[in-house]
Every structure is written in structure tokens, then in C-alpha cells.
mmCIF file of all heavy atoms in Angstrom:
data_model
loop_
_atom_site.group_PDB
_atom_site.id
_atom_site.type_symbol
_atom_site.label_atom_id
_atom_site.label_comp_id
_atom_site.label_asym_id
_atom_site.label_seq_id
_atom_site.Cartn_x
_atom_site.Cartn_y
_atom_site.Cartn_z
ATOM 1 N N MET A 7 12.701 -17.348 -3.151
ATOM 2 C CA MET A 7 11.634 -17.931 -3.941
ATOM 3 C C MET A 7 10.468 -18.336 -3.045
ATOM 4 O O MET A 7 9.323 -18.140 -3.401
ATOM 5 C CB MET A 7 12.215 -19.135 -4.699
ATOM 6 C CG MET A 7 11.501 -19.484 -5.917
ATOM 7 S SD MET A 7 11.482 -18.105 -7.069
ATOM 8 C CE MET A 7 10.604 -18.833 -8.357
ATOM 9 N N LYS A 8 10.798 -18.883 -1.887
ATOM 10 C CA LYS A 8 9.759 -19.306 -0.968
ATOM 11 C C LYS A 8 8.939 -18.108 -0.484
ATOM 12 O O LYS A 8 7.736 -18.196 -0.294
ATOM 13 C CB LYS A 8 10.418 -20.005 0.229
ATOM 14 C CG LYS A 8 9.595 -21.037 0.890
ATOM 15 C CD LYS A 8 10.426 -21.782 1.940
ATOM 16 C CE LYS A 8 9.733 -23.018 2.397
ATOM 17 N NZ LYS A 8 10.455 -23.693 3.462
ATOM 18 N N ALA A 9 9.611 -16.975 -0.317
ATOM 19 C CA ALA A 9 8.948 -15.759 0.144
ATOM 20 C C ALA A 9 7.880 -15.316 -0.860
ATOM 21 O O ALA A 9 6.765 -14.948 -0.474
ATOM 22 C CB ALA A 9 9.970 -14.648 0.357
ATOM 23 N N LYS A 10 8.219 -15.357 -2.128
ATOM 24 C CA LYS A 10 7.271 -14.946 -3.174
ATOM 25 C C LYS A 10 6.044 -15.851 -3.175
ATOM 26 O O LYS A 10 4.925 -15.389 -3.358
ATOM 27 C CB LYS A 10 7.933 -14.981 -4.557
ATOM 28 C CG LYS A 10 9.060 -14.020 -4.721
ATOM 29 C CD LYS A 10 8.567 -12.629 -4.952
ATOM 30 C CE LYS A 10 9.750 -11.726 -5.245
ATOM 31 N NZ LYS A 10 9.415 -10.336 -5.190
ATOM 32 N N GLY A 11 6.260 -17.144 -2.958
ATOM 33 C CA GLY A 11 5.147 -18.088 -2.905
ATOM 34 C C GLY A 11 4.219 -17.799 -1.744
ATOM 35 O O GLY A 11 2.989 -17.831 -1.891
ATOM 36 N N GLU A 12 4.803 -17.502 -0.584
ATOM 37 C CA GLU A 12 3.983 -17.182 0.586
ATOM 38 C C GLU A 12 3.206 -15.882 0.359
ATOM 39 O O GLU A 12 2.037 -15.775 0.733
ATOM 40 C CB GLU A 12 4.855 -17.046 1.836
ATOM 41 C CG GLU A 12 5.335 -18.364 2.363
ATOM 42 C CD GLU A 12 6.271 -18.222 3.554
ATOM 43 O OE1 GLU A 12 6.887 -17.158 3.727
ATOM 44 O OE2 GLU A 12 6.378 -19.194 4.313
ATOM 45 N N GLN A 13 3.859 -14.908 -0.256
ATOM 46 C CA GLN A 13 3.192 -13.642 -0.517
ATOM 47 C C GLN A 13 2.024 -13.836 -1.483
ATOM 48 O O GLN A 13 0.929 -13.305 -1.254
ATOM 49 C CB GLN A 13 4.186 -12.629 -1.088
ATOM 50 C CG GLN A 13 5.210 -12.163 -0.070
ATOM 51 C CD GLN A 13 6.363 -11.413 -0.697
ATOM 52 O OE1 GLN A 13 6.691 -11.607 -1.868
ATOM 53 N NE2 GLN A 13 6.998 -10.563 0.086
ATOM 54 N N ALA A 14 2.240 -14.605 -2.532
ATOM 55 C CA ALA A 14 1.183 -14.844 -3.520
ATOM 56 C C ALA A 14 0.020 -15.618 -2.903
ATOM 57 O O ALA A 14 -1.150 -15.294 -3.141
ATOM 58 C CB ALA A 14 1.746 -15.600 -4.713
ATOM 59 N N LYS A 15 0.353 -16.636 -2.126
ATOM 60 C CA LYS A 15 -0.685 -17.433 -1.474
ATOM 61 C C LYS A 15 -1.497 -16.553 -0.517
ATOM 62 O O LYS A 15 -2.717 -16.651 -0.462
ATOM 63 C CB LYS A 15 -0.023 -18.585 -0.710
ATOM 64 C CG LYS A 15 -0.980 -19.574 -0.113
ATOM 65 C CD LYS A 15 -0.202 -20.711 0.550
ATOM 66 C CE LYS A 15 -1.107 -21.627 1.316
ATOM 67 N NZ LYS A 15 -0.355 -22.648 2.049
ATOM 68 N N GLY A 16 -0.804 -15.690 0.197
ATOM 69 C CA GLY A 16 -1.477 -14.786 1.125
ATOM 70 C C GLY A 16 -2.403 -13.814 0.414
ATOM 71 O O GLY A 16 -3.523 -13.560 0.852
ATOM 72 N N LYS A 17 -1.934 -13.283 -0.713
ATOM 73 C CA LYS A 17 -2.767 -12.350 -1.482
ATOM 74 C C LYS A 17 -4.019 -13.050 -2.000
ATOM 75 O O LYS A 17 -5.111 -12.479 -1.981
ATOM 76 C CB LYS A 17 -1.972 -11.769 -2.653
ATOM 77 C CG LYS A 17 -1.004 -10.711 -2.228
ATOM 78 C CD LYS A 17 -0.261 -10.126 -3.414
ATOM 79 C CE LYS A 17 0.769 -9.129 -2.933
ATOM 80 N NZ LYS A 17 1.466 -8.481 -4.020
ATOM 81 N N ALA A 18 -3.858 -14.283 -2.446
ATOM 82 C CA ALA A 18 -4.999 -15.033 -2.957
ATOM 83 C C ALA A 18 -6.008 -15.301 -1.837
ATOM 84 O O ALA A 18 -7.218 -15.111 -2.023
ATOM 85 C CB ALA A 18 -4.537 -16.348 -3.563
ATOM 86 N N LYS A 19 -5.507 -15.715 -0.677
ATOM 87 C CA LYS A 19 -6.404 -15.971 0.458
ATOM 88 C C LYS A 19 -7.130 -14.702 0.872
ATOM 89 O O LYS A 19 -8.323 -14.721 1.159
ATOM 90 C CB LYS A 19 -5.622 -16.494 1.666
ATOM 91 C CG LYS A 19 -5.503 -17.964 1.745
ATOM 92 C CD LYS A 19 -4.914 -18.355 3.087
ATOM 93 C CE LYS A 19 -4.791 -19.844 3.222
ATOM 94 N NZ LYS A 19 -4.239 -20.242 4.522
ATOM 95 N N GLU A 20 -6.397 -13.600 0.909
ATOM 96 C CA GLU A 20 -7.013 -12.338 1.296
ATOM 97 C C GLU A 20 -8.109 -11.945 0.307
ATOM 98 O O GLU A 20 -9.197 -11.524 0.701
ATOM 99 C CB GLU A 20 -5.961 -11.235 1.378
ATOM 100 C CG GLU A 20 -6.545 -9.916 1.861
ATOM 101 C CD GLU A 20 -5.530 -8.803 1.958
ATOM 102 O OE1 GLU A 20 -4.346 -9.011 1.605
ATOM 103 O OE2 GLU A 20 -5.930 -7.715 2.401
ATOM 104 N N ALA A 21 -7.827 -12.111 -0.982
ATOM 105 C CA ALA A 21 -8.814 -11.765 -2.007
ATOM 106 C C ALA A 21 -10.066 -12.625 -1.883
ATOM 107 O O ALA A 21 -11.190 -12.107 -1.932
ATOM 108 C CB ALA A 21 -8.203 -11.915 -3.393
ATOM 109 N N VAL A 22 -9.892 -13.921 -1.696
ATOM 110 C CA VAL A 22 -11.042 -14.815 -1.543
ATOM 111 C C VAL A 22 -11.819 -14.454 -0.276
ATOM 112 O O VAL A 22 -13.048 -14.436 -0.273
ATOM 113 C CB VAL A 22 -10.597 -16.303 -1.517
ATOM 114 C CG1 VAL A 22 -11.748 -17.215 -1.130
ATOM 115 C CG2 VAL A 22 -10.038 -16.707 -2.872
ATOM 116 N N GLY A 23 -11.103 -14.132 0.778
ATOM 117 C CA GLY A 23 -11.753 -13.733 2.023
ATOM 118 C C GLY A 23 -12.589 -12.484 1.848
ATOM 119 O O GLY A 23 -13.700 -12.378 2.382
ATOM 120 N N ARG A 24 -12.071 -11.530 1.088
ATOM 121 C CA ARG A 24 -12.833 -10.296 0.836
ATOM 122 C C ARG A 24 -14.084 -10.579 0.001
ATOM 123 O O ARG A 24 -15.152 -10.047 0.277
ATOM 124 C CB ARG A 24 -11.962 -9.281 0.115
ATOM 125 C CG ARG A 24 -10.968 -8.617 1.013
ATOM 126 C CD ARG A 24 -10.218 -7.540 0.269
ATOM 127 N NE ARG A 24 -9.201 -6.959 1.116
ATOM 128 C CZ ARG A 24 -8.330 -6.074 0.706
ATOM 129 N NH1 ARG A 24 -8.347 -5.662 -0.549
ATOM 130 N NH2 ARG A 24 -7.434 -5.588 1.533
ATOM 131 N N ILE A 25 -13.903 -11.412 -1.030
ATOM 132 C CA ILE A 25 -15.027 -11.722 -1.922
ATOM 133 C C ILE A 25 -16.133 -12.449 -1.162
ATOM 134 O O ILE A 25 -17.313 -12.166 -1.345
ATOM 135 C CB ILE A 25 -14.552 -12.562 -3.127
ATOM 136 C CG1 ILE A 25 -13.671 -11.698 -4.031
ATOM 137 C CG2 ILE A 25 -15.727 -13.137 -3.909
ATOM 138 C CD1 ILE A 25 -12.922 -12.471 -5.101
ATOM 139 N N THR A 26 -15.740 -13.387 -0.315
ATOM 140 C CA THR A 26 -16.723 -14.193 0.404
ATOM 141 C C THR A 26 -17.108 -13.580 1.752
ATOM 142 O O THR A 26 -17.899 -14.158 2.482
ATOM 143 C CB THR A 26 -16.185 -15.614 0.651
ATOM 144 O OG1 THR A 26 -14.995 -15.532 1.444
ATOM 145 C CG2 THR A 26 -15.910 -16.328 -0.655
ATOM 146 N N ASP A 27 -16.535 -12.409 2.046
ATOM 147 C CA ASP A 27 -16.801 -11.706 3.309
ATOM 148 C C ASP A 27 -16.427 -12.575 4.521
ATOM 149 O O ASP A 27 -17.105 -12.590 5.531
ATOM 150 C CB ASP A 27 -18.265 -11.258 3.384
ATOM 151 C CG ASP A 27 -18.450 -10.106 4.355
ATOM 152 O OD1 ASP A 27 -17.509 -9.304 4.516
ATOM 153 O OD2 ASP A 27 -19.531 -10.024 4.975
ATOM 154 N N ASP A 28 -15.317 -13.313 4.372
ATOM 155 C CA ASP A 28 -14.800 -14.184 5.432
ATOM 156 C C ASP A 28 -13.603 -13.485 6.073
ATOM 157 O O ASP A 28 -12.494 -13.501 5.538
ATOM 158 C CB ASP A 28 -14.387 -15.529 4.834
ATOM 159 C CG ASP A 28 -13.924 -16.541 5.867
ATOM 160 O OD1 ASP A 28 -13.581 -16.146 7.000
ATOM 161 O OD2 ASP A 28 -13.897 -17.734 5.535
ATOM 162 N N GLU A 29 -13.840 -12.854 7.205
ATOM 163 C CA GLU A 29 -12.791 -12.072 7.851
ATOM 164 C C GLU A 29 -11.630 -12.941 8.328
ATOM 165 O O GLU A 29 -10.484 -12.501 8.324
ATOM 166 C CB GLU A 29 -13.361 -11.261 9.003
ATOM 167 C CG GLU A 29 -14.265 -10.150 8.508
ATOM 168 C CD GLU A 29 -14.560 -9.120 9.557
ATOM 169 O OE1 GLU A 29 -13.776 -8.965 10.505
ATOM 170 O OE2 GLU A 29 -15.591 -8.445 9.404
ATOM 171 N N ARG A 30 -11.906 -14.176 8.731
ATOM 172 C CA ARG A 30 -10.842 -15.074 9.177
ATOM 173 C C ARG A 30 -9.887 -15.377 8.033
ATOM 174 O O ARG A 30 -8.671 -15.324 8.182
ATOM 175 C CB ARG A 30 -11.441 -16.370 9.725
ATOM 176 C CG ARG A 30 -10.385 -17.346 10.282
ATOM 177 C CD ARG A 30 -10.997 -18.668 10.730
ATOM 178 N NE ARG A 30 -11.676 -19.376 9.659
ATOM 179 C CZ ARG A 30 -11.074 -20.206 8.802
ATOM 180 N NH1 ARG A 30 -9.799 -20.444 8.898
ATOM 181 N NH2 ARG A 30 -11.760 -20.799 7.860
ATOM 182 N N LEU A 31 -10.440 -15.675 6.865
ATOM 183 C CA LEU A 31 -9.616 -15.979 5.694
ATOM 184 C C LEU A 31 -8.825 -14.740 5.257
ATOM 185 O O LEU A 31 -7.653 -14.848 4.892
ATOM 186 C CB LEU A 31 -10.495 -16.482 4.544
ATOM 187 C CG LEU A 31 -9.787 -17.128 3.371
ATOM 188 C CD1 LEU A 31 -8.946 -18.311 3.811
ATOM 189 C CD2 LEU A 31 -10.807 -17.568 2.335
ATOM 190 N N THR A 32 -9.440 -13.585 5.328
ATOM 191 C CA THR A 32 -8.756 -12.340 4.996
ATOM 192 C C THR A 32 -7.572 -12.125 5.933
ATOM 193 O O THR A 32 -6.468 -11.780 5.499
ATOM 194 C CB THR A 32 -9.728 -11.145 5.085
ATOM 195 O OG1 THR A 32 -10.835 -11.378 4.205
ATOM 196 C CG2 THR A 32 -9.053 -9.849 4.693
ATOM 197 N N ALA A 33 -7.788 -12.352 7.215
ATOM 198 C CA ALA A 33 -6.720 -12.185 8.204
ATOM 199 C C ALA A 33 -5.601 -13.199 7.982
ATOM 200 O O ALA A 33 -4.415 -12.860 8.092
ATOM 201 C CB ALA A 33 -7.281 -12.319 9.608
ATOM 202 N N GLU A 34 -5.958 -14.435 7.662
ATOM 203 C CA GLU A 34 -4.943 -15.454 7.375
ATOM 204 C C GLU A 34 -4.104 -15.043 6.166
ATOM 205 O O GLU A 34 -2.883 -15.220 6.159
ATOM 206 C CB GLU A 34 -5.597 -16.808 7.083
ATOM 207 C CG GLU A 34 -6.097 -17.534 8.298
ATOM 208 C CD GLU A 34 -6.749 -18.867 7.944
ATOM 209 O OE1 GLU A 34 -6.527 -19.390 6.826
ATOM 210 O OE2 GLU A 34 -7.492 -19.384 8.784
ATOM 211 N N GLY A 35 -4.762 -14.506 5.169
ATOM 212 C CA GLY A 35 -4.050 -14.049 3.974
ATOM 213 C C GLY A 35 -3.071 -12.941 4.293
ATOM 214 O O GLY A 35 -1.931 -12.946 3.828
ATOM 215 N N ARG A 36 -3.502 -11.993 5.100
ATOM 216 C CA ARG A 36 -2.606 -10.897 5.496
ATOM 217 C C ARG A 36 -1.431 -11.433 6.298
ATOM 218 O O ARG A 36 -0.298 -10.974 6.132
ATOM 219 C CB ARG A 36 -3.369 -9.868 6.319
ATOM 220 C CG ARG A 36 -4.297 -9.028 5.493
ATOM 221 C CD ARG A 36 -4.902 -7.917 6.305
ATOM 222 N NE ARG A 36 -5.911 -7.222 5.524
ATOM 223 C CZ ARG A 36 -7.045 -6.774 6.009
ATOM 224 N NH1 ARG A 36 -7.326 -6.930 7.287
ATOM 225 N NH2 ARG A 36 -7.902 -6.152 5.236
ATOM 226 N N ALA A 37 -1.683 -12.395 7.168
ATOM 227 C CA ALA A 37 -0.611 -12.974 7.985
ATOM 228 C C ALA A 37 0.409 -13.694 7.098
ATOM 229 O O ALA A 37 1.620 -13.575 7.317
ATOM 230 C CB ALA A 37 -1.194 -13.935 9.019
ATOM 231 N N GLU A 38 -0.073 -14.425 6.100
ATOM 232 C CA GLU A 38 0.843 -15.119 5.196
ATOM 233 C C GLU A 38 1.671 -14.133 4.384
ATOM 234 O O GLU A 38 2.863 -14.359 4.150
ATOM 235 C CB GLU A 38 0.084 -16.055 4.262
ATOM 236 C CG GLU A 38 -0.311 -17.343 4.955
ATOM 237 C CD GLU A 38 -0.852 -18.377 3.993
ATOM 238 O OE1 GLU A 38 -0.419 -18.429 2.824
ATOM 239 O OE2 GLU A 38 -1.717 -19.151 4.420
ATOM 240 N N GLN A 39 1.045 -13.028 3.979
ATOM 241 C CA GLN A 39 1.793 -12.009 3.250
ATOM 242 C C GLN A 39 2.885 -11.420 4.135
ATOM 243 O O GLN A 39 4.013 -11.215 3.685
ATOM 244 C CB GLN A 39 0.866 -10.892 2.798
ATOM 245 C CG GLN A 39 -0.010 -11.276 1.634
ATOM 246 C CD GLN A 39 -0.891 -10.132 1.207
ATOM 247 O OE1 GLN A 39 -0.393 -9.118 0.755
ATOM 248 N NE2 GLN A 39 -2.197 -10.283 1.377
ATOM 249 N N ALA A 40 2.554 -11.159 5.383
ATOM 250 C CA ALA A 40 3.538 -10.606 6.315
ATOM 251 C C ALA A 40 4.687 -11.590 6.530
ATOM 252 O O ALA A 40 5.856 -11.200 6.587
ATOM 253 C CB ALA A 40 2.871 -10.270 7.642
ATOM 254 N N LYS A 41 4.358 -12.862 6.630
ATOM 255 C CA LYS A 41 5.387 -13.888 6.791
ATOM 256 C C LYS A 41 6.288 -13.918 5.559
ATOM 257 O O LYS A 41 7.513 -14.010 5.678
ATOM 258 C CB LYS A 41 4.709 -15.248 6.997
ATOM 259 C CG LYS A 41 5.651 -16.378 7.294
ATOM 260 C CD LYS A 41 4.869 -17.662 7.536
ATOM 261 C CE LYS A 41 5.777 -18.850 7.702
ATOM 262 N NZ LYS A 41 5.030 -20.104 7.834
ATOM 263 N N GLY A 42 5.694 -13.813 4.398
ATOM 264 C CA GLY A 42 6.466 -13.780 3.158
ATOM 265 C C GLY A 42 7.341 -12.536 3.076
ATOM 266 O O GLY A 42 8.486 -12.597 2.635
ATOM 267 N N ASP A 43 6.811 -11.403 3.525
ATOM 268 C CA ASP A 43 7.594 -10.169 3.531
ATOM 269 C C ASP A 43 8.796 -10.297 4.458
ATOM 270 O O ASP A 43 9.894 -9.866 4.127
ATOM 271 C CB ASP A 43 6.727 -8.980 3.975
ATOM 272 C CG ASP A 43 5.657 -8.607 2.955
ATOM 273 O OD1 ASP A 43 5.758 -9.026 1.785
ATOM 274 O OD2 ASP A 43 4.704 -7.892 3.347
ATOM 275 N N ALA A 44 8.574 -10.884 5.619
ATOM 276 C CA ALA A 44 9.660 -11.067 6.584
ATOM 277 C C ALA A 44 10.728 -12.008 6.018
ATOM 278 O O ALA A 44 11.924 -11.762 6.151
ATOM 279 C CB ALA A 44 9.118 -11.608 7.904
ATOM 280 N N ARG A 45 10.291 -13.070 5.378
ATOM 281 C CA ARG A 45 11.234 -14.022 4.787
ATOM 282 C C ARG A 45 12.034 -13.337 3.668
ATOM 283 O O ARG A 45 13.241 -13.537 3.543
ATOM 284 C CB ARG A 45 10.501 -15.242 4.237
ATOM 285 C CG ARG A 45 11.438 -16.326 3.726
ATOM 286 C CD ARG A 45 10.706 -17.522 3.166
ATOM 287 N NE ARG A 45 9.831 -18.161 4.111
ATOM 288 C CZ ARG A 45 10.188 -19.158 4.921
ATOM 289 N NH1 ARG A 45 11.414 -19.614 4.897
ATOM 290 N NH2 ARG A 45 9.322 -19.689 5.753
ATOM 291 N N SER A 46 11.352 -12.517 2.880
ATOM 292 C CA SER A 46 12.020 -11.812 1.798
ATOM 293 C C SER A 46 13.085 -10.864 2.352
ATOM 294 O O SER A 46 14.203 -10.801 1.828
ATOM 295 C CB SER A 46 10.987 -11.022 0.996
ATOM 296 O OG SER A 46 11.604 -10.299 -0.032
ATOM 297 N N ALA A 47 12.760 -10.148 3.404
ATOM 298 C CA ALA A 47 13.720 -9.234 4.021
ATOM 299 C C ALA A 47 14.920 -10.007 4.560
ATOM 300 O O ALA A 47 16.070 -9.567 4.407
ATOM 301 C CB ALA A 47 13.051 -8.445 5.143
ATOM 302 N N LYS A 48 14.652 -11.149 5.151
ATOM 303 C CA LYS A 48 15.729 -11.989 5.687
ATOM 304 C C LYS A 48 16.648 -12.455 4.554
ATOM 305 O O LYS A 48 17.874 -12.419 4.684
ATOM 306 C CB LYS A 48 15.116 -13.181 6.417
ATOM 307 C CG LYS A 48 16.111 -14.147 7.002
ATOM 308 C CD LYS A 48 15.376 -15.298 7.675
ATOM 309 C CE LYS A 48 16.289 -16.474 7.895
ATOM 310 N NZ LYS A 48 15.580 -17.653 8.378
ATOM 311 N N GLU A 49 16.053 -12.878 3.437
ATOM 312 C CA GLU A 49 16.841 -13.338 2.303
ATOM 313 C C GLU A 49 17.688 -12.202 1.732
ATOM 314 O O GLU A 49 18.846 -12.408 1.364
ATOM 315 C CB GLU A 49 15.925 -13.916 1.226
ATOM 316 C CG GLU A 49 15.294 -15.241 1.617
ATOM 317 C CD GLU A 49 14.231 -15.723 0.643
ATOM 318 O OE1 GLU A 49 13.944 -15.029 -0.352
ATOM 319 O OE2 GLU A 49 13.665 -16.797 0.894
ATOM 320 N N LYS A 50 17.126 -11.003 1.683
ATOM 321 C CA LYS A 50 17.870 -9.851 1.168
ATOM 322 C C LYS A 50 19.059 -9.540 2.074
ATOM 323 O O LYS A 50 20.137 -9.219 1.591
ATOM 324 C CB LYS A 50 16.968 -8.630 1.065
ATOM 325 C CG LYS A 50 16.025 -8.695 -0.111
ATOM 326 C CD LYS A 50 15.135 -7.480 -0.189
ATOM 327 C CE LYS A 50 14.129 -7.611 -1.309
ATOM 328 N NZ LYS A 50 13.207 -6.483 -1.350
ATOM 329 N N MET A 51 18.854 -9.629 3.379
ATOM 330 C CA MET A 51 19.946 -9.359 4.309
ATOM 331 C C MET A 51 21.062 -10.398 4.149
ATOM 332 O O MET A 51 22.237 -10.044 4.185
ATOM 333 C CB MET A 51 19.439 -9.357 5.750
ATOM 334 C CG MET A 51 18.548 -8.194 6.094
ATOM 335 S SD MET A 51 19.300 -6.598 5.774
ATOM 336 C CE MET A 51 20.503 -6.544 7.082
ATOM 337 N N LYS A 52 20.682 -11.642 3.943
ATOM 338 C CA LYS A 52 21.696 -12.683 3.707
ATOM 339 C C LYS A 52 22.524 -12.356 2.473
ATOM 340 O O LYS A 52 23.743 -12.485 2.476
ATOM 341 C CB LYS A 52 21.044 -14.041 3.515
ATOM 342 C CG LYS A 52 20.643 -14.742 4.785
ATOM 343 C CD LYS A 52 20.106 -16.120 4.426
ATOM 344 C CE LYS A 52 19.699 -16.902 5.622
ATOM 345 N NZ LYS A 52 19.153 -18.224 5.237
ATOM 346 N N ASP A 53 21.832 -11.923 1.406
ATOM 347 C CA ASP A 53 22.529 -11.586 0.165
ATOM 348 C C ASP A 53 23.480 -10.416 0.362
ATOM 349 O O ASP A 53 24.586 -10.404 -0.174
ATOM 350 C CB ASP A 53 21.538 -11.268 -0.948
ATOM 351 C CG ASP A 53 20.798 -12.485 -1.459
ATOM 352 O OD1 ASP A 53 21.270 -13.622 -1.206
ATOM 353 O OD2 ASP A 53 19.751 -12.308 -2.112
ATOM 354 N N ILE A 54 23.063 -9.435 1.128
ATOM 355 C CA ILE A 54 23.898 -8.259 1.382
ATOM 356 C C ILE A 54 25.190 -8.662 2.085
ATOM 357 O O ILE A 54 26.267 -8.220 1.723
ATOM 358 C CB ILE A 54 23.128 -7.203 2.195
ATOM 359 C CG1 ILE A 54 22.056 -6.557 1.333
ATOM 360 C CG2 ILE A 54 24.081 -6.148 2.748
ATOM 361 C CD1 ILE A 54 21.096 -5.671 2.098
ATOM 362 N N PHE A 55 25.074 -9.511 3.082
ATOM 363 C CA PHE A 55 26.240 -9.888 3.860
ATOM 364 C C PHE A 55 27.126 -10.932 3.174
ATOM 365 O O PHE A 55 28.271 -11.108 3.555
ATOM 366 C CB PHE A 55 25.828 -10.356 5.254
ATOM 367 C CG PHE A 55 25.378 -9.220 6.125
ATOM 368 C CD1 PHE A 55 24.042 -9.074 6.469
ATOM 369 C CD2 PHE A 55 26.281 -8.266 6.570
ATOM 370 C CE1 PHE A 55 23.618 -8.015 7.260
ATOM 371 C CE2 PHE A 55 25.876 -7.201 7.360
ATOM 372 C CZ PHE A 55 24.538 -7.074 7.692
ATOM 373 N N LYS A 56 26.611 -11.595 2.159
ATOM 374 C CA LYS A 56 27.433 -12.554 1.405
ATOM 375 C C LYS A 56 28.426 -11.829 0.523
ATOM 376 O O LYS A 56 29.492 -12.331 0.246
ATOM 377 C CB LYS A 56 26.547 -13.446 0.530
ATOM 378 C CG LYS A 56 25.894 -14.569 1.281
ATOM 379 C CD LYS A 56 25.131 -15.453 0.322
ATOM 380 C CE LYS A 56 24.446 -16.592 1.051
ATOM 381 N NZ LYS A 56 23.653 -17.405 0.126
ATOM 382 N N HIS A 57 28.071 -10.649 0.064
ATOM 383 C CA HIS A 57 28.925 -9.923 -0.886
ATOM 384 C C HIS A 57 29.870 -9.091 -0.140
ATOM 385 O O HIS A 57 30.523 -8.558 0.291
ATOM 386 C CB HIS A 57 28.096 -9.059 -1.813
ATOM 387 C CG HIS A 57 27.208 -9.881 -2.719
ATOM 388 N ND1 HIS A 57 26.869 -11.191 -2.523
ATOM 389 C CD2 HIS A 57 26.571 -9.536 -3.842
ATOM 390 C CE1 HIS A 57 26.080 -11.607 -3.483
ATOM 391 N NE2 HIS A 57 25.869 -10.623 -4.293
#
């Protein structure tokens, strides 16, 4: 669940960064999405090994 929140927050930041032409905000958004993706992959691996 936390992964989805990070991904959504990152997408929103990236979108605002693009609209306002703020490259720093766009980069932060991409970084948050990547962090969310990594967390999601980690959670999936935990689920695989639990079963």
C-alpha cells in the first residue's frame, strides 16, 4: 500500500514539474516513482516467499 502512495505522489510531482517547467520537481517525482516501484517489487518478493 505504501508503494502505491509513493508512486502516486511521484506521478503528481512529475506532472506539476512538467506543467510548471520545473526540472527539479520533475526529477523528484521520477525518483519517488522509482522508490515506489522498488518498494512494490520488494513487497511482491515477500509475498512470493511467504507462500
Side-chain angles (χ1 to χ4, degrees):
M7 205 59 180
K8 209 173 193 184
K10 296 282 185 193
E12 285 176 337
Q13 290 167 334
K15 186 177 173 185
K17 283 182 184 183
K19 269 189 179 181
E20 183 180 3
V22 171
R24 284 185 184 175
I25 291 169
T26 61
D27 202 30
D28 184 342
E29 291 195 24
R30 183 184 60 86
L31 193 57
T32 303
E34 284 179 18
R36 286 187 187 141
E38 282 190 32
Q39 285 181 65
K41 185 178 174 184
D43 291 343
R45 185 181 301 269
S46 178
K48 179 181 163 187
E49 289 172 359
K50 284 180 184 177
M51 291 304 288
K52 280 184 179 179
D53 289 342
I54 289 170
F55 287 109
K56 280 184 181 177
H57 295 18

